């Protein structure tokens, strides 16, 4: 939600103070989506192969949330004249937020047995859709209040994503406890397949 709020805030800022039209906003959106897909499909697998091991899901979620924070912090700190160049040049940092999604889902998936995966993924999908409900109106209201100091809109994601990280860390503790549960019981069909050779004897 914080990353989405930050993107919405930048779009409002770019339209009003950078003079971006639909062409530049479309280019920004296309680059953001393309970079996110490239990081997930190519950069991350290749990096894991070169390193010889993959980082944990929790480490990936933390890194993927922190990099967009660096992006918005840089936009807030840099002079106004450098905002446009920084916004485009730093897009890989912002797009890194997309890498959190598969690992975020994996954290929830690992905490539930196989027969409960459908229900668990439905809950995750509902959680992922919540930012669409509050991000746009919240950012629009904040931007209207900050017209005298518009660059402060870039600080909004710092608070929201920071809160999300704290909530995630709190949610991971019970999930970690569930990971220590006894081995899951085999499905009946699997049990029959395992015992079939014994019956044949």
């Amino acid at each position: 939600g914080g990353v989405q709020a930050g993107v919405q805030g930048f779009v409002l800022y770019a339209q009003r103070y950078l003079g971006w039209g639909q062409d530049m906003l479309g280019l920004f959106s296309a680059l953001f989506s393309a970079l996110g897909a490239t990081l997930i499909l190519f950069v991350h697998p290749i990096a894991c192969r070169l390193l010889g091991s993959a980082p944990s899901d929790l480490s990936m979620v933390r890194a993927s949330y922190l990099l967009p924070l660096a992006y918005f912090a840089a936009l807030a700190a840099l002079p106004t004249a450098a905002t446009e160049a920084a916004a485009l040049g730093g897009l890989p940092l912002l797009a890194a937020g997309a890498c959190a999604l598969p690992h975020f889902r994996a954290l929830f998936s690992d905490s539930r047995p196989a027969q409960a995966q459908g229900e668990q993924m439905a809950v995750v999908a509902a959680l992922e859709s919540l930012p669409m409900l509050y991000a746009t109106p919240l950012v629009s209201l904040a931007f209207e209040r900050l017209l005298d100091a518009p660059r402060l809109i870039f600080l909004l994601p710092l608070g929201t994503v920071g809160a999300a990280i704290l909530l995630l860390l709190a949610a991971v503790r019970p999930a970690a406890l569930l990971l220590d549960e006894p081995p899951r019981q085999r499905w009946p069909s699997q049990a029959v397949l395992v015992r079939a050779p014994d019956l044949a004897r």
Side-chain angles (χ1 to χ4, degrees):
V3 175
Q4 185 168 352
V7 173
Q8 293 285 346
F10 176 77
V11 168
L12 293 174
Y13 180 92
Q15 286 179 312
R16 187 178 182 93
Y17 296 101
L18 299 181
W20 282 17
Q22 295 302 315
D23 54 345
M24 279 300 298
L25 292 176
L27 175 63
F28 180 83
S29 177
L31 288 175
F32 172 72
S33 300
L35 284 171
T38 301
L39 288 173
I40 293 174
L41 296 176
F42 300 105
V43 176
H44 179 251
I46 293 174
C48 291
R49 184 168 299 180
L50 292 176
L51 294 174
S53 63
S56 67
D57 291 318
L58 181 56
S59 297
M60 284 299 303
V61 170
R62 287 171 175 168
S64 299
Y65 280 161
L66 289 175
L67 291 177
L69 290 186
Y71 176 84
F72 291 115
L75 291 184
L78 290 173
T80 304
T83 300
E84 185 171 4
L88 294 174
L91 261 180
L93 294 177
L94 180 60
C99 295
L101 289 178
H103 299 278
F104 180 76
R105 293 168 183 168
L107 287 174
F108 281 85
S109 176
D110 288 343
S111 68
R112 301 287 288 176
Q115 63 269 24
Q117 289 299 306
E119 179 183 358
Q120 187 77 340
M121 289 300 100
V123 172
V124 173
L127 291 175
E128 291 175 354
S129 66
L130 286 179
M132 300 179 185
L133 299 177
Y134 66 80
T136 300
L138 176 63
V139 171
S140 299
L141 178 62
F143 188 77
E144 183 180 359
R145 303 290 182 181
L146 295 173
L147 290 178
D148 294 333
R151 296 179 67 79
L152 292 179
I153 194 66
F154 299 136
L155 299 180
L156 181 62
L158 303 184
T160 53
V161 175
I165 291 176
L166 292 177
L167 289 173
L168 176 64
L169 293 177
V172 165
R173 289 185 178 275
L177 294 177
L178 288 172
L179 289 177
D180 293 331
E181 64 184 359
R184 297 170 184 169
Q185 185 178 2
R186 293 192 180 97
W187 291 94
S189 59
Q190 292 177 326
V192 171
L193 290 175
V194 170
R195 295 170 184 169
D198 295 333
L199 294 176
R201 295 177 186 174

